[in-house]
Amino acid sequence: MTPEEIALIRDIFAKVVPIKETATEIFYNRLFETAPEVKSLFTGNMKKQGEMLMSALAGVVDNLDNLDAIVPDVQGLARRHVRYGVEADHYQPVGAALLWTLEQGLGDDFTAETGAAWAKAYGTLSGVMIEEAYTA
């Protein structure tokens, strides 16, 4: 990722943090609307799930300029997701729901350039996760 893309992602994420509870609610509502088959994978407390999502995103955003530092954690997360029943084709609607949430929650602050940077970051990391979890 370029320094400019990383800066765009960090700037947007800084705007999400103050509204993180609302953002996670919007995200999961959108995810379950567009991919209802994944709803059964979420059996726990959704507030706690949202907190874990935001924590994971914060860790990724903080380390975008040093992806090698987070790849082992991301790979471990991928292996855990398999145990929860996550399938490789679930990653696409998650990414779409994430981008949609950012666009809806941030309005004009979420530009096409920012969306492309987020899509690139998500594509890179979800690719690492899919490879780790589903490539023997």
Side-chain angles (χ1 to χ4, degrees), residues 40-124:
S40 64
L41 301 177
F42 296 87
T43 58
N45 180 309
M46 289 308 294
K47 181 174 172 138
K48 182 169 173 59
Q49 182 66 40
E51 291 168 359
M52 290 188 303
L53 172 64
M54 291 304 293
S55 177
L57 285 173
V60 168
V61 169
D62 288 346
N63 289 287
L64 283 173
D65 48 2
N66 185 14
L67 289 179
D68 290 341
I70 59 171
V71 164
D73 292 334
V74 169
Q75 290 171 324
L77 181 62
R79 291 187 299 272
R80 286 191 304 279
H81 279 151
V82 170
R83 290 194 303 261
Y84 304 141
V86 174
E87 298 174 9
D89 62 350
H90 293 154
Y91 283 84
Q92 188 282 326
V94 168
L98 175 62
L99 293 174
W100 187 87
T101 298
L102 293 169
E103 183 177 12
Q104 296 302 305
L106 299 169
D108 291 341
D109 287 337
F110 193 75
T111 65
E113 185 179 25
T114 302
W118 273 89
K120 183 177 181 180
Y122 181 80
T124 299

Side-chain angles (χ1 to χ4, degrees), residues 5 9 14 20 24-25 31 38 40 46 58 81 85-86 104 129:
E5 291 168 328
I9 291 169
K20 63 185 177 185
T24 57
E25 185 177 330
L31 178 62
V38 304
S40 64
M46 289 308 294
H81 279 151
V86 174
Q104 296 302 305
M129 293 177 78

